[in-house]
Amino acid sequence: MEILLEAKNLNKKYVIGKQNELQILKDINIQIGRGEFVSIMGPSGSGKSTLLYNISGMDRMTSGKVLFNGRELSTLTEKELSGLRLNKMGFIFQHSHLLKNLSIFDNIIMTGYMAKSTSRKLINKKARELMEKTGIAGLADNDITQASGGQLQRAGICRALINNPDIIFGDEPTGALNTKSAGEIMELLEEINKSGTSILLVTHDARVASKTERVLFMLDGRIVADKKLGKCSGESGDIKSREEKLTQWLLEMGL
Amino acid sequence: MIIFRILKKDFLRKKIVTIVVFVFIMLSALLVSSGSNLIVELSNSLNSLFSISKVPHFVQMHSGELDQLKIDNWSASNSMVKEQQTVEMITIDGSDLYLGESQKPEENSIMDISFVTQNKSFDFLLDMNNNIINISAGEIAVPVYYMQQKNMKIGDKVSLSNKSSNIKFTISAFIRDAQMNPSIVHSKRFLVSNTDYQMIQTTFHEKEYLIEFLLHDLKMADDFSKSYLSSGLPGKGPSVDYNLFKVLNGLTDGIVSGVVIILSLLLMIIAILCLRFTILSSIEEDYREIGVLKAIGISRNDIRKIYLLKYAAMGALASLTGYIASLFLNHFFTSNMLMYIGNAPKIFIQQIIPMGAAGIISMIVFLSCVIILRRFNRITAIEALRSGNSGDSLKINRLLHLKNSRITPVNVFLGARDILQRFRMYALLCIVFFFCTSFTIIPVHFLNTIKSTAFISYMGIGRSDIRIDLRQSDNIAERFESMVARISGDSDVKRFSPKVTSRFIMINNEGAEENINIETGDFSLFPLDYLEGRAPETADEIALSYLNNREMNKKTGDKLMLIVDGKNKEMRICGIYQDVTNGGKTAKAALPFNKNAVLWYTVSLDLNTGINAAEKVREYSDSFYPARITDLEGYLKQTMGNTIEQIKKVTIVSVSVGLAVSVLITSLFLKMLIAGDSSQIAIMKSLGVSLHQIRIQYITRSLLLLTSGIILGTVFSNTAGQNIISMIWSFMGASQIRFIINTVQAYLILPLLLIISVTITSAISITGIKKSSISEIVAE
Ligand SMILES: Nc1ncnc2c1ncn2[C@@H]1O[C@H](COP(=O)(O)OP(=O)(O)OP(=O)(O)O)[C@@H](O)[C@H]1O
Ligand SMILES: [Mg+2]
């Protein structure tokens, strides 16, 4: 399998006060393949979000290497990093984080317009298609205050997809949703993954993680386990057994 | 206690903005106290100067024969007259007077110089301590105007010399002359001892008289002036009354205090706008907290009181500080006045007026806070808790959706769109820029206007290169004719226009006969700016000066009955112009002049290009002696020089304040804006929007706001600003001013200065965007 994203001996320290250092990530080594659907689990404070920010170039690592499509992130300028995130990566957050002064539609197309890879007309068309697919076509001109949490999360997904990224990062994208909405969002992500986009999710929810093909377990700044579940078939029986297997595993890991 | 925790937090969080608002209120209080102090001091000192020197209520200047007995008889029989005195003056030609060590005589001076002795019963000439000057032989007292213009000191020499004699004096005092102090009055009196006066008289023969009256009641001055002018008593020269003396003396400092007070009001408005912004953003940020307070049962009123207490205390403290600071700054504004008019002890009420003015500023600040804080009433606990957002955003027009933009760069679009969306917040910055622009442009316009040669037309003088004044002397008519003949034959002269002012009789509103001084000639060559109407063209048209017209209470188009050659002639008033020369009460008509009562002659002329005006002035001064030749540049400088200096001071203050305020507010505003937007900025950054692009959004905002502020400010300055200045100018009996606009300064340099300083400030301020780290905010 072709490797899309790779971290080698990734370390992240925060300097607190004058002397104190706090090491959040300790010698992380991971490889994410193109088209892979991976989740990260672990107790609160173990460094999951930090890992996500560092391998996506949002935050600068302290030492180590991150290779994305073979390019080393630490050698890139701030502007090149931004360009990379804009064109090749998509992000979904726990609280959708749409820009509050733009309509839902404008939120989706903004990064598309900025990328300048196709005409604005085509971007608009693509956005409409995405909204159609995610079931929020009727909300285009709404303010972000005029939509439910689940709907906003879908808008966030549309935004992440507008530039056809190679990978989508999600930091607990279902964390703020009820079971039903969370299930729908996961279905969407599975579908996106099927079309070839890699996805890396941070989650606390075993049911969510059980839908991914591989689960990384973080503890105290290290990746302590890497469990391959294989592609999910989507049959209800399969889902049940994967979920049970994972829960069992998590119990063994002490969560 | 939770309430004090809020206050403390509010101050710490808003440290800079609180300090800036404090400074603005303080500056505003400072300027308003200084301005009102100047007004109080001015009127107080003027009153004191006028009462100590016993300024006459009516003065008729006269050159020519004088029969004192006739005047005495008339005065004795006139019930309005309290005292009469005739001042004899030896007029000295500037070319015979040498001041200080200067080897050059005062030949280019526009001043009418005369030597006098101290008066006996009133119209005293005072020294710099407002004491009546006593002078001994060999000593001289010199008008304060020369002390300032020529930097003269006690002990300096003054000499009078012509072909036959040379007399030296030592300066022993400087004169405050309530009648002739201001530079705008073109007569100056030098004081010498009686013995020296007798001696000068033997070589210098030209005499002029001031026929002066003290009345029982100042209110009768107008009636008295009419009865004097129609009495047939000597009157070859202008007449002036007490009120005009006052106006002329207070002119310069009156304008300065007016401008200073207007500046302070503008600053106050800016301070209140900032306050509004601060309070509203505090409330917005405290929304949750306020909600919690309400939820735990602290009443709305309690919360409002906390904020009110804070801002009222701040306003009061700032005003007080401003007032105290003004005590130190006052000297900067009053120094000119102190020199010319002097100082007088103030009574208690006068002491507290500047303090009261500062107090009013703090009251206005307080009331504004009360109004702004009304908003608290609209917050319900649930609303505050749920949204954490005061809902103060505008619904956006469809056209402003990003999806409808075709070509505008995304970041410029987003920057501009945000302005419309959060218009009420951005309006603050726009208004501040607007005020700052007006702040810098209005005084600059005014300064340029007053410096321009066109300005003299507001003083009643047509615009020309050279002006020749010929006053009463022997054979004046022949001299005038030969002068005109000489000028019309001079190939250096492009065009010229002789005018004669003579006395006519008119029938006033009560049907009585009254004298009126009318200038006759061709008024099309060197036109004046008319307040209303236009110059007389036909023989039955007459134009009146503003003061004359105000006294007669007429409008353009009204009729006025004149007596010309013994017959009644009905004239139509065709225009009103402003005039501060010759007592301000003049008229113009295209009639033949009255040969029996000529007062003075003037010739205005323009030179061909390439002809040196100064040389021409010298040439004419020699040939046309004793006529006075002035080039207009010099005239303006000598007349308005002092006022221009004072206005320059004010202009420097206001341009610096305008720039400083716009820089301060821009950096503050952007800082607060960026802090408030930090989560939005972090989201954008995480999505791959580069810092550079985000900065473009913010720079777009401040430049768009600045540009609209500048445009509004420029338009305002050129329209309303003109009216404001006209209002101040009406101190002078003239009421309207059209700005003479220096295009380069007003439309290029000043806006550019603002744009550059605001752009630099914005560029520096938005470097703060970098610091907000994504993980901190997105992870929240
Ligand atoms: N800017 C920072 N400075 C110092 N410490 C930080 C900073 N950001 C995060 N941390 C610390 O790093 C550790 C890991 O944080 P991180 O947000 O990655 O945890 P997480 O695994 O995502 O937790 P959760 O499941 O609660 O989201 C935490 O102990 C946190 O306090
Ligand atoms: Mg996290």
Side-chain angles (χ1 to χ4, degrees):
Chain A
M1 185 172 54
E2 186 195 343
I3 293 169
L4 176 68
L5 182 66
E6 181 173 19
K8 289 181 181 166
N9 301 322
L10 172 58
N11 283 288
K12 176 69 182 177
K13 291 174 189 166
Y14 282 113
V15 180
I16 293 168
K18 280 210 173 99
Q19 303 285 313
N20 281 337
E21 269 186 2
L22 195 61
Q23 183 153 12
I24 308 296
L25 299 180
K26 300 165 183 164
D27 278 325
I28 303 274
N29 286 291
I30 43 167
Q31 294 183 335
I32 311 285
R34 192 175 283 280
E36 220 180 351
F37 195 173
V38 183
S39 57
I40 305 176
M41 298 191 79
S44 185
S46 56
K48 305 179 296 289
S49 300
T50 311
L51 177 61
L52 214 57
Y53 300 144
N54 277 278
I55 56 177
S56 62
M58 272 195 225
D59 211 347
R60 292 273 181 187
M61 63 203 111
T62 314
S63 68
K65 273 186 194 170
V66 173
L67 298 166
F68 182 77
N69 265 330
R71 293 176 83 187
E72 200 189 319
L73 296 191
S74 60
T75 63
L76 302 181
T77 63
E78 193 272 336
K79 203 172 167 187
E80 288 168 323
L81 274 177
S82 294
L84 200 64
R85 281 206 300 280
L86 187 67
N87 292 294
K88 301 289 178 201
M89 301 174 178
F91 293 88
I92 315 167
F93 303 98
Q94 180 174 10
H95 299 282
S96 71
H97 281 320
L98 297 182
L99 295 172
K100 61 182 174 191
N101 292 329
L102 296 180
S103 71
I104 289 179
F105 194 82
D106 282 356
N107 256 293
I108 296 171
I109 58 175
M110 185 189 82
T111 45
Y113 279 19
M114 282 179 173
K116 290 182 194 148
S117 46
T118 46
S119 74
R120 293 188 183 186
K121 225 178 182 158
L122 284 177
I123 299 275
N124 288 357
K125 187 164 162 265
K126 170 117 197 256
R128 272 192 294 273
E129 283 167 11
L130 285 169
M131 289 180 84
E132 201 75 53
K133 203 152 87 189
T134 52
I136 51 168
L139 301 174
D141 288 338
N142 284 27
D143 254 13
I144 62 163
T145 49
Q146 301 163 322
S148 73
Q151 288 167 331
L152 291 179
Q153 206 55 293
R154 287 159 206 256
I157 293 173
C158 295
R159 177 176 70 181
L161 289 171
I162 195 77
N163 285 329
N164 295 319
D166 290 339
I167 187 167
I168 288 181
F169 296 98
D171 194 351
E172 299 182 41
T174 57
L177 303 178
N178 61 28
T179 320
K180 181 166 173 279
S181 301
E184 285 164 3
I185 294 293
M186 279 315 287
E187 273 168 35
L188 261 173
L189 290 177
E190 284 174 279
E191 213 181 307
I192 291 159
N193 177 246
K194 276 186 194 127
S195 65
T197 311
S198 309
I199 298 179
L200 181 59
L201 284 188
V202 169
T203 183
H204 281 121
D205 188 342
R207 238 178 312 177
V208 167
S210 69
K211 300 228 166 84
T212 64
E213 60 189 282
R214 184 176 156 207
V215 181
L216 303 173
F217 194 82
M218 274 191 86
L219 197 63
D220 199 16
R222 288 176 213 279
I223 292 181
V224 291
D226 182 347
K227 188 166 179 67
K228 298 207 166 49
L229 298 171
K231 287 271 182 208
C232 177
S233 70
E235 287 164 27
S236 58
D238 183 33
I239 296 173
K240 262 234 148 58
S241 74
R242 286 168 76 100
E243 219 180 295
E244 274 162 19
K245 251 201 292 189
L246 186 64
T247 323
Q248 188 61 38
W249 181 69
L250 288 174
L251 275 174
E252 284 164 25
M253 301 303 302
L255 195 77
Chain B
M1 183 75 181
I2 191 159
I3 289 172
F4 290 100
R5 207 169 52 89
I6 293 182
L7 272 185
K8 195 175 144 208
K9 201 184 89 194
D10 189 58
F11 177 73
L12 288 179
R13 188 179 47 193
K14 296 239 149 44
K15 219 182 321 186
I16 303 170
V17 75
T18 308
I19 291 171
V20 167
V21 171
F22 182 91
V23 169
F24 283 170
I25 298 175
M26 189 192 81
L27 277 178
S28 166
L30 182 150
L31 288 178
V32 85
S33 343
S34 282
S36 54
N37 175 65
L38 183 54
I39 290 178
V40 167
E41 292 242 13
L42 185 63
S43 78
N44 190 37
S45 311
L46 267 182
N47 283 336
S48 155
L49 176 71
F50 274 42
S51 73
I52 298 174
S53 67
K54 291 198 177 171
V55 176
H57 295 156
F58 177 84
V59 176
Q60 172 68 54
M61 298 189 189
H62 174 73
S63 43
E65 297 297 300
L66 184 120
D67 182 354
Q68 182 61 36
L69 202 65
K70 255 170 112 179
I71 299 174
D72 287 343
N73 288 337
W74 184 83
S75 310
S77 67
N78 189 309
S79 62
M80 289 185 267
V81 177
K82 188 173 163 200
E83 257 181 283
Q84 195 277 329
Q85 157 180 292
T86 300
V87 180
E88 186 187 281
M89 309 191 292
I90 305 174
T91 54
I92 303 288
D93 192 76
S95 57
D96 296 335
L97 182 72
Y98 295 78
L99 295 175
E101 297 308 308
S102 167
Q103 300 303 312
K104 263 180 55 196
E106 291 296 300
E107 61 183 354
N108 287 331
S109 170
I110 60 163
M111 298 301 168
D112 287 328
I113 295 158
S114 49
F115 277 50
V116 296
T117 56
Q118 184 63 277
N119 291 317
K120 300 204 172 45
S121 46
F122 61 99
D123 187 23
F124 298 119
L125 301 179
L126 306 182
D127 67 10
M128 299 307 281
N129 298 318
N130 281 3
N131 294 322
I132 298 171
I133 304 177
N134 276 315
I135 208 135
S136 344
E139 289 178 352
I140 190 168
V142 174
V144 62
Y145 170 82
Y146 291 100
M147 167 172 124
Q148 200 202 24
Q149 298 273 309
K150 310 263 167 183
N151 220 343
M152 306 193 75
K153 294 178 297 296
I154 302 269
D156 284 355
K157 304 284 183 227
V158 170
S159 52
L160 260 184
S161 78
N162 63 4
K163 290 168 210 95
S164 53
S165 73
N166 185 342
I167 313 168
K168 267 201 180 326
F169 299 97
T170 308
I171 298 178
S172 67
F174 290 99
I175 302 175
R176 287 204 184 115
D177 179 345
Q179 264 192 61
M180 301 178 178
N181 250 344
S183 56
I184 201 159
V185 175
H186 294 162
S187 304
K188 296 284 169 269
R189 291 190 279 189
F190 288 67
L191 183 64
V192 292
S193 65
N194 287 334
T195 38
D196 289 334
Y197 188 85
Q198 301 302 332
M199 181 179 65
I200 298 168
Q201 220 169 11
T202 58
T203 29
F204 296 86
H205 307 291
E206 298 270 348
K207 291 262 173 69
E208 245 182 45
Y209 300 92
L210 299 175
I211 304 161
E212 303 180 334
F213 294 89
L214 270 188
L215 306 179
H216 289 292
D217 184 358
L218 180 58
K219 289 195 202 82
M220 297 185 296
D222 273 352
D223 290 337
F224 178 80
S225 115
K226 281 173 200 160
S227 82
Y228 182 87
L229 291 174
S230 54
S231 66
L233 288 171
K236 288 187 171 171
S239 59
V240 194
D241 67 17
Y242 185 91
N243 292 322
L244 192 66
F245 291 141
K246 244 190 179 162
V247 167
L248 293 176
N249 269 295
L251 177 66
T252 299
D253 298 299
I255 291 175
V256 169
S257 55
V259 173
V260 166
I261 286 176
I262 286 176
L263 287 187
S264 82
L265 293 182
L266 288 180
L267 259 181
M268 186 190 69
I269 294 173
I270 293 178
I272 288 173
L273 287 172
C274 289
L275 208 55
R276 177 176 178 276
F277 181 65
T278 321
I279 294 178
L280 290 187
S281 69
S282 294
I283 293 177
E284 187 148 340
E285 285 165 39
D286 287 345
Y287 238 77
R288 278 165 211 273
E289 200 134 2
I290 291 166
V292 172
L293 287 179
K294 283 186 177 175
I296 64 173
I298 292 177
S299 83
R300 182 176 292 168
N301 252 331
D302 291 339
I303 303 170
R304 189 163 60 193
K305 269 186 212 143
I306 304 171
Y307 277 91
L308 202 54
L309 186 77
K310 175 190 163 184
Y311 291 105
M314 188 186 75
L317 193 66
S319 301
L320 185 68
T321 321
Y323 168 72
I324 292 171
S326 81
L327 298 179
F328 298 94
L329 187 82
N330 282 341
H331 186 72
F332 179 73
F333 291 115
T334 53
S335 58
N336 177 68
M337 183 206 75
L338 287 177
M339 179 151 49
Y340 275 91
I341 303 173
N343 204 353
K346 280 183 282 191
I347 59 169
F348 179 67
I349 291 286
Q350 291 168 328
Q351 301 270 22
I352 64 170
I353 282 177
M355 201 190 283
I360 288 174
I361 298 275
S362 102
M363 265 318 286
I364 294 175
V365 168
F366 176 76
L367 288 176
S368 314
C369 289
V370 171
I371 292 169
I372 296 166
L373 284 168
R374 283 225 191 112
R375 194 175 263 260
F376 263 120
N377 294 340
R378 294 194 226 128
I379 307 174
T380 68
I382 309 154
E383 184 192 353
L385 278 175
R386 190 198 286 150
S387 65
N389 174 332
S390 65
D392 187 20
S393 80
L394 224 67
K395 276 279 156 280
I396 280 286
N397 188 300
R398 299 198 141 260
L399 276 177
L400 287 164
H401 279 305
L402 182 60
K403 65 175 179 187
N404 297 323
S405 83
R406 290 276 170 269
I407 40 166
T408 331
V410 183
N411 295 299
V412 173
F413 183 91
L414 290 176
R417 183 181 181 282
D418 194 42
I419 290 182
L420 292 170
Q421 193 160 31
R422 294 192 276 174
F423 185 75
R424 288 174 67 174
M425 181 181 75
Y426 286 112
L428 166 85
L429 198 57
C430 186
I431 293 171
V432 170
F433 286 140
F434 161 76
F435 278 122
C436 288
T437 311
S438 315
F439 235 69
T440 52
I441 290 186
I442 293 176
V444 168
H445 275 350
F446 185 44
L447 184 64
N448 282 323
T449 305
I450 205 169
K451 271 164 80 179
S452 126
T453 47
F455 183 73
I456 55 170
S457 77
Y458 294 116
M459 308 197 305
I461 300 163
R463 187 179 179 178
S464 64
D465 290 346
I466 289 179
R467 172 184 160 100
I468 303 173
D469 283 283
L470 190 59
R471 298 270 154 157
Q472 273 302 326
S473 58
D474 301 336
N475 315 324
I476 181 168
E478 288 98 88
R479 280 166 190 264
F480 180 65
E481 263 159 41
S482 69
M483 183 165 87
V484 170
R486 162 83 187 277
I487 292 169
S488 65
D490 188 337
S491 60
D492 292 344
V493 174
K494 191 157 103 193
R495 52 192 186 147
F496 73 100
S497 157
K499 295 196 188 76
V500 184
T501 302
S502 55
R503 181 157 296 161
F504 284 84
I505 292 171
M506 63 169 234
I507 311 291
N508 68 15
N509 292 347
E510 286 84 46
E513 291 192 354
E514 198 178 299
N515 284 321
I516 180 169
N517 299 345
I518 302 181
E519 185 176 46
T520 54
D522 178 359
F523 299 102
S524 62
L525 273 184
F526 300 98
L528 282 182
D529 270 328
Y530 276 71
L531 290 178
E532 268 175 51
R534 49 168 178 77
E537 283 161 7
T538 59
D540 62 347
E541 287 182 331
I542 187 166
L544 298 176
S545 75
Y546 177 76
L547 283 181
N548 230 340
N549 179 68
R550 198 176 58 180
E551 191 182 297
M552 294 181 200
N553 210 352
K554 301 247 187 208
K555 300 189 295 289
T556 48
D558 285 358
K559 302 282 184 248
L560 182 74
M561 193 63 80
L562 275 191
I563 298 178
V564 180
D565 296 330
K567 289 191 284 286
N568 280 12
K569 185 170 171 62
E570 196 182 56
M571 309 287 283
R572 205 180 61 82
I573 297 173
C574 63
I576 294 159
Y577 58 93
Q578 40 201 6
D579 191 356
V580 295
T581 62
N582 300 313
K585 292 180 187 170
T586 57
K588 296 176 194 296
L591 291 170
F593 60 87
N594 180 2
K595 291 186 187 56
N596 307 319
V598 171
L599 294 165
W600 56 81
Y601 299 86
T602 57
V603 180
S604 305
L605 60 92
D606 272 352
L607 297 170
N608 284 316
T609 40
I611 306 297
N612 185 325
E615 265 165 36
K616 203 57 167 178
V617 168
R618 217 162 302 136
E619 178 194 328
Y620 281 178
S621 304
D622 291 342
S623 359
F624 299 152
Y625 178 86
R628 202 182 47 218
I629 325 289
T630 24
D631 69 307
L632 264 277
E633 296 260 336
Y635 180 91
L636 199 65
K637 216 161 109 199
Q638 293 180 53
T639 310
M640 299 303 292
N642 189 32
T643 310
I644 289 172
E645 277 310 305
Q646 292 295 104
I647 300 290
K648 221 181 239 167
K649 269 193 207 171
V650 175
T651 307
I652 290 169
V653 168
S654 64
V655 169
S656 346
V657 167
L659 283 178
V661 167
S662 43
V663 163
L664 261 177
I665 296 282
T666 307
S667 74
L668 249 178
F669 185 86
L670 281 178
K671 256 205 177 87
M672 290 176 69
L673 188 63
I674 289 167
D677 286 357
S678 61
S679 66
Q680 302 290 296
I681 292 172
I683 293 168
M684 280 196 277
K685 272 165 76 178
S686 70
L687 296 176
V689 183
S690 71
L691 275 176
H692 177 72
Q693 288 173 305
I694 296 172
R695 286 179 186 158
I696 290 176
Q697 295 184 13
Y698 283 88
I699 287 262
T700 304
R701 287 170 205 168
S702 52
L703 286 187
L704 265 180
L705 291 168
L706 176 68
T707 319
S708 33
I710 287 180
I711 293 172
L712 288 175
T714 309
V715 170
F716 176 83
S717 308
N718 294 353
T719 52
Q722 193 163 286
N723 296 336
I724 292 175
I725 293 292
S726 296
M727 216 170 67
I728 301 174
W729 192 244
S730 62
F731 270 102
M732 235 179 103
S735 69
Q736 234 168 36
I737 269 189
R738 208 161 307 130
F739 276 150
I740 288 151
I741 291 165
N742 180 326
T743 323
V744 177
Q745 281 182 8
Y747 299 132
L748 201 70
I749 297 181
L750 284 177
L752 218 59
L753 226 78
L754 275 167
I755 288 175
I756 291 172
S757 43
V758 167
T759 311
I760 293 175
T761 313
S762 309
I764 293 172
S765 305
I766 56 176
T767 54
I769 292 177
K770 202 172 197 164
K771 288 182 204 120
S772 61
S773 159
I774 301 169
S775 44
E776 287 167 33
I777 293 146
V778 177
E780 75 188 356

